[in-house]
Amino acid sequence: MLSDLVNGVANFFTFIAMASALLGLIAGIIIGALPGLTATMSVAILTPFTFFMETALALPFLLGIYKGAIYGGSIPAILINTPGTNAAAATTLDGYPLAKQGHSRKALEISLYGSVIGDLLGTIVLIALTAPLAAIAIKFSSPEFAILFIFALTMIAGVSGRSFAKGLIGATIGALIGCIGLDPMSGYQRFTFGVPDLTGGISLVPVLIGMFALGEILIQSERRIIGAISNVANGGQKHLSFAELKSNLVTIFRSTGIGIFIGALPGIGAEIACWVAYGDAKRRSKRPDLFGKGSLEGVAAAESGNNATVPATLIPMLVFGIPGDTVTAVLLGAFMAQGLLPGPLLFQQHSEVIYGLFGILLLTNVLLLFFGLVAIRFFRHVVVIPQSILLPCVTVLCFAGAYAVNSNLFDVLVLLIGGFAGYAMRRTGVPIPPFVIALLLAPPLENAIRQSLLFSEDGLLIFLKRPISATMLGILLLGASIFVWRIITARWRVGGLGRTERR
Amino acid sequence: VGANIAVSLFGLLFGLAVLLLLPWQVVGESYDAVANVQSPAFFPIVLSATLVVFSAILAFSTARSGGEEDAAEDPNHLTDDARPMEAPIKVAGVALCLILYYFALSLIGMIAASMILIIVMSYIMGFRNFWISGLVAVVIPLGIYFLFEKTLYVLLPAGRLF
């Protein structure tokens, strides 16, 4: 494996590839530092630029954006009490109080060191785990993949929003939209309505930009504008001492472990990891009373937790072709546009790309440390750009990016519809990740199910006769039973409440 | 409750619409294809039937729980500092801008349409410094033009008028 890593790294360690990674990282930090622009949005709106790059340039650029955006979100969280990305939401709880107390520099530095350590350890776990897992995954055949995809989609539907049923509805609609175009087995047209542009299916990147960027812009347009310069907590140029860093190392390592575990599960990303890591740190802290009032430990936990998910979310994507979160869903689309189909075969067919990608992840970590320190010094002015002028500019970039995919106005229409659908889903509480991930997984899921049944002599029993698929199916059925039980007991609860009110 | 019922109704209608359209949109196939895994209609039938079931479950669970799980459903939905009537007007204005922008792309081209969009959309969103919005409206579309057409060699939409 070490020789593969060295060879892969050698392919990607050119001056231009490193410049691409650096450019992506800086763009990611800037976009992440802008309140209202999420990490997913930053990767989505910049993905079309990579279509015109070689793989060795495109992947470092995209990974740089991803890492930069997750870290960049902490800058406004600490300085103006507004998370740049959802992943930095927990950082505001202690980051802003620290800044108000005159310790903004310390808060920004512990956030950076926590992010870099979390990211580095996450990358090491990614490198150590993906090849052995891919070796197991390569032995999977259609029944295992069919159940694995259904299992992943059910899990994503379960954890993405507050309502499991809405998650399942979102996933099913996504899979149905994924059926538009040519049938993968027979080549017959399905639901194309005589529109030639639909023959090849719905173009993924415009949908992703629409859902994650345009939908978010519509949501943001409902809000009052934030980013007044008077809100910036400017006090404090004192650096973080080594003793302060050392005293937070245990929290950082523990939160990193939480981030890696959560990131490796399909559908759960940095947004959840930051809260779980923060809660765990508070529970175990010797000074829980400081949490929420300006605790360096709180910032360290939230930031190491969210950044550790970045490499971890790549594990299910690279091994099984299942995106770990919404950003990796967009990355999956970008990989496919580069002619790379994530999954176990990627290790056999493009091992140099995978190991080069690992090398780039390590490199961007070093770059993040250096440019994060620069960002702390200079990027505090970025966060005060008013959203009311920023979002129209991002809108133009979204339209240009969607058009650039195929130089086709139909893709712009897809973007527009995707944007309105994304807005409607946010307003009605239908989670977007199950929809998008089902849209991406629909073709391999359909293939896996139909091939399993085609070669099965016992119909649906094929899924029970194989140990891995039977185990996953058992867990699925258990989850479904709990869901049904909750619906039934909800009636009892409501009945009980009604009786209490009547009394 | 309203959002849950709307979602379950939409899911139900979407699933039924797929089933109704199936004989026309998957040529030569009918509902008995559900028994034939080689049929291109197999997967859409299974999915649309599943969607109908999930939608019914949502409606049923909402009715059972009295919609209590729907409270604060959307974490993105802010009401703390938004005026009740201001938000829908602003979002409708932005949505209209986006639709008009789409049609303007093929009529007056990307650069001119983008200039107008930035000025109008920033005004709707509450930005009142016209010097800055005017400057941004010139710089950003021209910057995107040079980035796409001169650096990446991707042609942006050109208008019929100019």
Side-chain angles (χ1 to χ4, degrees), chain A residues 133-337:
Chain A
L133 280 175
I136 298 168
I138 202 93
K139 292 174 185 153
F140 279 23
S141 51
S142 298
E144 282 81 18
F145 270 112
I147 299 297
L148 180 68
F149 289 145
I150 295 171
F151 183 80
L153 284 173
T154 311
M155 193 171 157
I156 292 161
V159 298
S160 297
R162 285 166 185 261
S163 164
F164 187 32
K166 283 186 189 174
L168 291 172
I169 289 172
T172 317
I173 293 177
L176 271 169
I177 303 282
C179 290
I180 294 173
L182 298 179
D183 170 40
M185 272 188 170
S186 64
Y188 281 109
Q189 287 190 24
R190 296 189 299 197
F191 303 101
T192 56
F193 297 91
V195 178
D197 290 304
L198 286 176
T199 310
I202 293 281
S203 200
L204 275 177
V205 174
V207 175
L208 296 173
I209 302 175
M211 286 268 167
F212 292 119
L214 216 53
E216 187 63 33
I217 288 169
L218 283 163
I219 283 286
Q220 295 286 340
S221 70
E222 291 183 336
R223 299 177 176 186
R224 285 272 192 87
I225 301 309
I226 52 167
I229 201 157
S230 58
N231 289 341
V232 177
N234 275 316
Q237 286 304 311
K238 260 190 172 175
H239 288 273
L240 185 79
S241 68
F242 181 71
E244 284 170 321
L245 175 64
K246 200 177 154 191
S247 66
N248 285 299
L249 274 178
V250 175
T251 303
I252 291 174
F253 289 141
R254 207 185 300 120
S255 304
T256 297
I258 292 170
I260 293 169
F261 177 73
I262 289 178
L265 298 173
I268 323 176
E271 291 90 346
I272 292 172
C274 70
W275 288 110
V276 178
Y278 183 85
D280 180 74
K282 187 178 178 181
R283 212 168 33 250
R284 292 171 188 266
S285 175
K286 288 175 188 161
R287 295 295 312 272
D289 54 306
L290 281 181
F291 277 68
K293 295 173 188 158
S295 163
L296 280 174
E297 209 179 344
V299 177
E303 283 301 305
S304 50
N306 70 24
N307 264 74
T309 60
V310 172
T313 51
L314 295 171
I315 297 173
M317 186 185 99
L318 293 174
V319 175
F320 300 110
I322 298 168
D325 66 350
T326 50
V327 187
T328 38
V330 181
L331 280 177
L332 186 70
F335 268 63
M336 286 158 78

Side-chain angles (χ1 to χ4, degrees), chain A residues 49 52 86 162-163 165-166 168-169 172-173 175-177 179 183 185-186 188-194 214 216-225 386-389 391-393 395-397 399-401 403-404 407 409 412-413 416 420 423 426-430 442 445-446 449-450 453-454 483 487-488 490-491 493-494 497, chain B residues 3-4 7-8 10-11 14 18 21-22 25-27 37-40 42-44 47-48 50-51 54-55 57-58 60-61 64-66 68-74 76-78 81-83 86-87 90-91 94-95 98-99 101-102 105-106 110 114 117-118 121-122 125-127 133 136 140 144 147-148 152 154-157:
Chain A
F49 292 107
F52 314 99
N86 294 335
R162 285 166 185 261
S163 164
K166 283 186 189 174
L168 291 172
I169 289 172
T172 317
I173 293 177
L176 271 169
I177 303 282
C179 290
D183 170 40
M185 272 188 170
S186 64
Y188 281 109
Q189 287 190 24
R190 296 189 299 197
F191 303 101
T192 56
F193 297 91
L214 216 53
E216 187 63 33
I217 288 169
L218 283 163
I219 283 286
Q220 295 286 340
S221 70
E222 291 183 336
R223 299 177 176 186
R224 285 272 192 87
I225 301 309
Q387 286 182 41
S388 49
I389 192 72
L391 295 179
C393 300
T395 305
V396 173
L397 200 58
F399 276 74
Y403 181 81
S407 295
L409 270 174
V412 180
L413 184 63
L416 200 59
F420 289 142
Y423 171 77
R426 282 173 172 87
R427 288 304 307 267
T428 51
V430 179
L445 172 65
E446 181 177 5
I449 291 176
R450 287 169 69 184
L453 294 174
L454 194 64
F483 176 58
I487 292 174
I488 295 166
R491 171 64 184 154
R493 273 206 316 272
V494 172
L497 279 174
Chain B
N4 276 5
V7 172
S8 51
F10 178 81
F14 193 93
V18 171
L21 285 169
L22 200 93
Q25 290 301 321
V26 185
V27 180
V37 291
Q38 294 193 57
S39 161
F42 170 78
F43 198 53
L47 284 177
S48 46
T50 310
L51 179 60
F54 287 152
S55 304
I57 288 174
L58 177 64
F60 181 71
S61 64
R64 288 241 153 191
S65 68
E68 62 180 21
E69 71 169 36
D70 207 28
E73 188 63 61
D74 181 5
N76 288 317
H77 183 207
L78 300 181
D81 59 352
R83 291 172 194 151
E86 191 184 17
K90 273 167 76 175
V91 78
V94 171
L98 297 178
I99 294 167
Y101 179 54
Y102 168 72
L105 287 177
S106 52
M110 182 123 205
S114 302
L117 177 86
I118 290 174
M121 197 169 149
S122 60
M125 294 178 93
F127 195 77
S133 60
V136 171
I140 296 295
I144 289 175
L147 182 65
F148 276 89
L152 299 172
V154 179
L155 293 177
L156 292 172

Side-chain angles (χ1 to χ4, degrees), chain A residues 23 320 337 339 362 384 418:
Chain A
L23 192 68
F320 300 110
L362 291 170
V384 294

Side-chain angles (χ1 to χ4, degrees), chain A residues 407-494:
Chain A
S407 295
N408 186 351
L409 270 174
F410 186 79
D411 284 344
V412 180
L413 184 63
V414 171
L415 164 90
L416 200 59
I417 295 168
F420 289 142
Y423 171 77
M425 287 169 76
R426 282 173 172 87
R427 288 304 307 267
T428 51
V430 179
I432 294 178
F435 174 88
V436 167
I437 295 172
L439 179 66
L440 284 162
L441 291 184
L445 172 65
E446 181 177 5
N447 266 333
I449 291 176
R450 287 169 69 184
Q451 278 177 10
S452 304
L453 294 174
L454 194 64
F455 296 112
S456 168
E457 290 171 356
D458 308 306
L460 289 168
L461 284 178
I462 190 170
F463 298 115
L464 290 173
K465 284 187 171 176
R466 303 175 74 98
I468 297 173
S469 63
T471 308
M472 285 189 288
L473 203 58
I475 299 170
L476 257 180
L477 290 174
L478 185 70
S481 312
I482 292 169
F483 176 58
V484 172
W485 175 251
R486 282 179 60 185
I487 292 174
I488 295 166
T489 52
R491 171 64 184 154
W492 294 344
R493 273 206 316 272
V494 172

